Amino acid sequence: MSPSLTIRSHLFTLADLRAWSNTSASSDLSDNDRQALAICHEWLSGATEFVVRTSGSTGDPKPITLRREQMLASAQATGAALDLRPGCRALVCLPTGYIAGRMMLIRGLVLDMEMTVVEPSSNPFASLPSDGGFDFMAAVPLQLQTVLDGPPGTLDRLNAMQAILVGGGPLSVALEERIQTLAAPVYHTYGMTETVTHIALRRLNGAEASSTFRPLPGVEVGRDDRDCLRIRGPMTLDHWVQTNDLVELQPDGSFQWLGRWDTII
């Protein structure tokens, strides 16, 4: 099975994505749409390096270069952790110009998923047909809260999913409580641009709910002399990445996030 991308009801096959050119693109495409198509085309063209801008979580925002093997390792690790299989229907509702949205596309290409890109907004389902279903999505807390506050039918769409990721910001107590009403597995993500998005997941609901983040396959974590998390794995090219996040390491290899060292100190 080959990956595909749907934008504004237009289906782009693998061949379409390989051949795509911004100069001949339809005029009704948004900047986010064009960015999504450009990312897919660049990946399928065999590019080995990708320039992305950091969020500033480990210092001032800056452009950094990620290698293809880092992004491939990240996509494969997420696929293994969540059992994402070819044909999985993925909703891409995050800005594709940033690492979280970009990696949703890369996961789709690597794992042969059927991707649908929508314009980033507080309600990812707003522009979609009511009968459209998905297996996988990643959202920021505001988006998930908006969907949970929507009509009853939106809950059915969430509950039909195999995995829902939420990250990019803190989760309120109220949102965590609302997530408990969902049957679909929901995971809080931990990661940053330097680690090619998340390197650990925390299950938020169901029998496997936890207060700790479990590293993805192949990821090693430790602490520096401040008790701040450091990370190493194939998505960091096996180099240690140091964070300013205070953590408590658990005997099972997971960790609990306690706060930011630079904020607490």
Side-chain angles (χ1 to χ4, degrees), residues 192-265:
M192 60 203 74
T193 307
E194 294 90 339
T195 62
V196 198
T197 67
H198 56 265
I199 55 87
L201 300 173
R202 176 170 74 94
R203 179 70 181 267
L204 292 172
N205 62 341
E208 299 177 21
S210 174
S211 62
T212 63
F213 289 90
R214 185 169 299 279
L216 295 180
V219 173
E220 179 183 359
V221 297
R223 294 189 298 179
D224 66 2
D225 55 8
R226 302 170 300 162
D227 291 333
C228 289
L229 185 71
R230 57 180 186 154
I231 302 155
R232 181 169 68 179
M235 56 286 291
T236 69
L237 296 177
D238 290 320
H239 298 149
W240 284 107
V241 170
Q242 183 62 55
T243 77
N244 289 322
D245 290 317
L246 287 165
V247 299
E248 181 177 306
L249 298 182
Q250 305 300 314
D252 65 357
S254 65
F255 63 89
Q256 185 169 16
W257 185 83
L258 303 177
R260 294 277 299 179
W261 178 85
D262 42 357
T263 300
I264 293 175
I265 300 301

Side-chain angles (χ1 to χ4, degrees), residues 7-22:
I7 297 179
R8 302 180 188 273
S9 300
H10 182 79
L11 175 66
F12 292 84
T13 65
L14 186 62
D16 295 331
L17 295 172
R18 290 186 190 276
W20 184 81
S21 170
N22 190 41

